[in-house]
Amino acid sequence: MSGLPRGKRAERNSRWKAGNRIRLLENGEEFFPAVFSAIESAQHEVLLETFILFQDKVGLALHAILLEAARRGVQIDVTVDGYGSPDLTADFVGSLTDAGVRFHVFDPRQRLFGRLRTNLFRRMHRKIVVVDGVRAFVGGINYSADHLADYGPEAKQDYAVEIEGPVVQEIHRFAREAVAPAVGARRWFRRRPSAPSTPGPEAAGDAQALFVFRDNDAHRDDIERHYRIALRAARRQVIVANAYFLPGYLLLKEMRRAAKRGVQVCLVLQGQPDMPWVSFASRMLYDHLMRAGVRIYEYCERPLHGKVALADDEWATVGSSNLDPLSLSLNLEANLIIRDRAFTQELRERLERLIRDNCNEIDPQRAMDGSWWRLAASYLMYHVARRFPSWAGLLPAHTPQLVPASAYTMAPGALTDTGRDTGAEAAPPEPWRWRGADRVGEPHADCSVS
C-alpha cells in the first residue's frame, strides 16, 4: 500500500521527533471524551481511521459530532474496514456523506450466500485520528460500546495516546496520503517528502516520538523490528501487554535472549479471551518462553484488547498492532514509539496495577509438566509461528481497494444495539455522550442523530 519501491528499505517510516506531549488514554472512558472534544473544536480538518465502527451508542455519538463538524465547514475523511465494520446502514452513512463527509470503506466485499465474508486477510486495522494537523490519536480502541465498562463482563481493556507536537506532522501526512487514492489526489508526493500545506506543529512537551506502520509493501516488519530493538537494548525490565499473542520466531528469540541475560521480561496476555482459540494457541508457547525465564500473567477481569509495551525507563509503544500473524504479516497497522521517562513510568504504574489486581501469574512448574500431546502441540505451534510470514504469501494476494461510500452499498436492515442485522425494525440505541466540563461519559437523552 506504499508508494515506495519494495527494495528501498532504507526509507523506513518517519524520523524521531522531539518536543511532543503524549497523554496515555485507558479504555473508552478516557479515549472517547478526548477524541470527541478534539473533533468538536476542529476548525479545518478531521482524518479518522478505524477498524470497527458500530452503530451502537458510541457510534451514534461519534456520528452526531462528525455531522455537526461537517455542517460548520470542517473537511472530514472517515475510513472504516470492510471486514470490521460490515453492518452500517445506508441512513447512517448517507447522512454523513450528505453533509460533506468523505466516507471510505477499505476492501468491501459482498458476502457469499449472504453470510460468509471473504475479506478475511489484509485488513485495515489502524486506529488513527488527526485534527487540524496539530492533534492526533493513535491506539487500539475502536468506536464501539464494548470499550466502555458498562458494557459488562465482555467490556475490553485497551489503550491509546493523545499526541501534540512535531510528530503529529508525520501522522497527518500519512493519514492524508492514505485517503489520497479515494479522493483523487495526486500521488507523486508519496515518493518523496513534501512540505505540508500548513505549518508543522510546534513543540508541546519533552517526549521523543516515532510514528511507525506496517503495510504489505516496503514496511512489512517495521513495528516488529522496533519491538526487537527494544528487547535487545533492555537491561532491567520489559513489560508487553498484548491481546493476541503468537509472534514469529525472531521476536520469540529476542524475548528468550533478554530473559536469559537477566532482564525481567513480563507478558500480560488474555485470561478471559474473546476468541478462545487464540488464547489456546498462545498457551502452547508458554513452556518455551518460561524455560528461558519469561514471566507470564493472564488478565482475568475481562477481555484484554491492548497492544502496549515498555522497556526500562524511557521506551514505550502504544498502537493497533497485535503480536500475532495477522498483525505482523498481513494487516495494515500503526504504532507510536515513545522515548519519555514520565510517560513510560505512567504506563508502568498502570500495567503493574493491572498485574497486581487483575492478573494470575502462570506457574512455571504447571506449564512445564504438561502431557506429551501438549509438548507436541507446543513444538508444532512454535514452528508454525516461525514459518507463518513466509506462508502468508500463499494466501489470497488481491490488492485491497479504498472505496468511497457512494460506490458501495451498505448492509440493509435495522441494527440492534449489539450491531447485528435483525431484519426487523428496532429503536436505535441511546447515544453515549459526555459532559464537556467534567469529561464524564454518560447517556444523554437529548442527543439525536439526523
Side-chain angles (χ1 to χ4, degrees):
M1 308 302 297
S2 168
L4 290 171
R6 183 171 299 174
K8 201 169 184 178
R9 303 295 291 177
E11 296 184 21
R12 292 182 182 268
N13 286 202
S14 62
R15 296 179 176 87
W16 283 99
K17 298 288 186 178
N20 303 284
R21 186 191 71 85
I22 301 171
R23 182 163 72 103
L24 181 63
L25 303 171
E26 186 172 353
N27 297 324
E29 284 79 4
E30 294 183 0
F31 177 73
F32 297 138
V35 171
F36 294 172
S37 176
I39 296 174
E40 285 180 335
S41 64
Q43 298 180 18
H44 308 293
E45 179 189 52
V46 173
L47 300 165
L48 187 151
E49 294 184 343
T50 184
F51 179 60
I52 289 174
L53 170 57
F54 284 163
Q55 203 164 327
D56 57 17
K57 63 181 182 179
V58 170
L60 290 177
L62 175 64
H63 182 279
I65 291 169
L66 291 173
L67 202 61
E68 191 277 331
R71 286 172 175 169
R72 67 173 187 268
V74 177
Q75 176 60 64
I76 300 174
D77 282 275
V78 174
T79 303
V80 303
D81 183 76
Y83 180 89
S85 307
D87 294 321
L88 298 176
T89 63
D91 286 345
F92 182 92
V93 177
S95 57
L96 290 173
T97 57
D98 288 346
V101 174
R102 299 190 295 207
F103 198 100
H104 319 287
V105 184
F106 182 84
D107 198 24
R109 293 294 184 103
Q110 296 296 326
R111 300 188 186 193
L112 290 177
F113 312 112
R115 296 182 63 86
L116 300 177
R117 290 187 280 178
T118 59
N119 48 356
L120 299 176
F121 303 114
R122 296 176 174 86
R123 305 172 188 174
M124 198 290 295
H125 197 245
R126 301 186 297 252
K127 292 90 175 175
I128 298 173
V129 181
V130 187
V131 177
D132 291 339
V134 297
R135 180 177 300 179
F137 299 84
V138 175
I141 301 177
N142 294 295
Y143 297 91
S144 54
D146 58 1
H147 285 279
L148 294 168
D150 65 7
Y151 189 80
E154 297 302 311
K156 293 178 169 63
Q157 175 70 26
D158 211 340
Y159 305 87
V161 287
E162 179 183 14
I163 313 147
E164 294 177 281
V167 76
V168 175
Q169 182 177 351
E170 302 286 345
I171 304 170
H172 182 221
R173 180 166 54 211
F174 174 86
R176 289 185 65 181
E177 291 176 1
V179 298
V183 300
R186 298 173 66 186
R187 299 184 65 185
W188 58 267
F189 63 86
R190 302 185 72 185
R191 292 185 174 272
R192 55 191 172 96
S194 59
S197 56
T198 57
E202 297 180 354
D206 299 322
Q208 288 186 305
L210 177 70
F211 177 69
V212 294
F213 58 90
R214 86 154 303 280
D215 57 23
N216 291 300
D217 193 354
H219 303 284
R220 297 187 176 196
D221 67 346
D222 288 22
I223 294 175
E224 181 182 3
R225 181 172 59 88
H226 279 280
Y227 268 93
R228 297 200 306 265
I229 290 171
L231 284 162
R232 286 197 295 269
R235 293 295 176 264
R236 292 180 300 281
Q237 183 190 49
V238 172
I239 303 177
V240 176
N242 208 268
Y244 305 112
F245 182 81
L246 192 61
Y249 170 71
L250 293 177
L251 196 50
L252 286 172
K253 183 171 69 173
E254 293 298 347
M255 288 181 182
R256 285 171 51 87
R257 282 181 171 177
K260 286 181 175 179
R261 68 173 184 267
V263 177
Q264 184 188 61
V265 180
C266 302
L267 301 181
V268 182
L269 308 177
Q270 289 203 56
Q272 297 290 333
D274 55 348
M275 298 174 62
W277 70 269
V278 175
S279 182
F280 175 80
S282 298
R283 287 168 181 160
M284 293 299 99
L285 298 176
Y286 284 8
D287 175 71
H288 181 68
L289 289 166
M290 296 178 80
R291 287 181 184 275
V294 176
R295 300 179 69 175
I296 301 176
Y297 300 86
E298 289 187 340
Y299 174 69
C300 298
E301 183 73 11
R302 48 193 178 138
L304 176 67
H305 195 254
K307 308 96 168 51
V308 301
L310 64 87
D312 291 341
D313 297 326
E314 293 190 348
W315 187 96
T317 185
V318 179
S320 69
S321 182
N322 293 301
L323 298 179
D324 71 344
L326 281 177
S327 283
L328 296 178
S329 301
L330 293 171
N331 289 347
L332 307 185
E333 306 283 1
N335 275 42
L336 192 73
I337 313 295
I338 303 154
R339 288 177 181 162
D340 182 63
R341 282 181 174 268
F343 180 89
T344 303
Q345 181 59 26
E346 181 181 3
L347 179 59
R348 174 181 287 108
E349 290 172 358
R350 296 208 192 190
L351 292 178
E352 288 179 344
R353 183 169 63 246
L354 199 76
I355 291 170
R356 182 182 66 249
D357 296 342
N358 305 112
C359 291
N360 295 326
E361 184 171 7
I362 302 302
D363 182 353
Q365 198 59 42
R366 284 188 61 188
M368 296 175 188
D369 286 345
S371 60
W372 67 268
W373 72 268
R374 283 186 173 274
L375 293 175
S378 176
Y379 178 85
L380 177 63
M381 193 63 62
Y382 172 78
H383 286 282
V384 167
R386 177 178 179 177
R387 300 294 182 185
F388 185 87
S390 59
W391 293 345
L394 302 177
L395 293 171
H398 71 284
T399 301
Q401 300 295 320
L402 196 63
V403 178
S406 59
Y408 176 60
T409 302
M410 306 305 288
L415 295 175
T416 69
D417 59 356
T418 62
R420 295 185 180 275
D421 188 348
T422 65
E425 292 186 5
E430 187 176 279
W432 182 86
R433 295 291 287 173
W434 64 285
R435 196 180 295 130
D438 299 328
R439 303 177 71 88
V440 176
E442 65 172 9
H444 193 291
D446 294 331
C447 176
S448 60
V449 179
S450 58

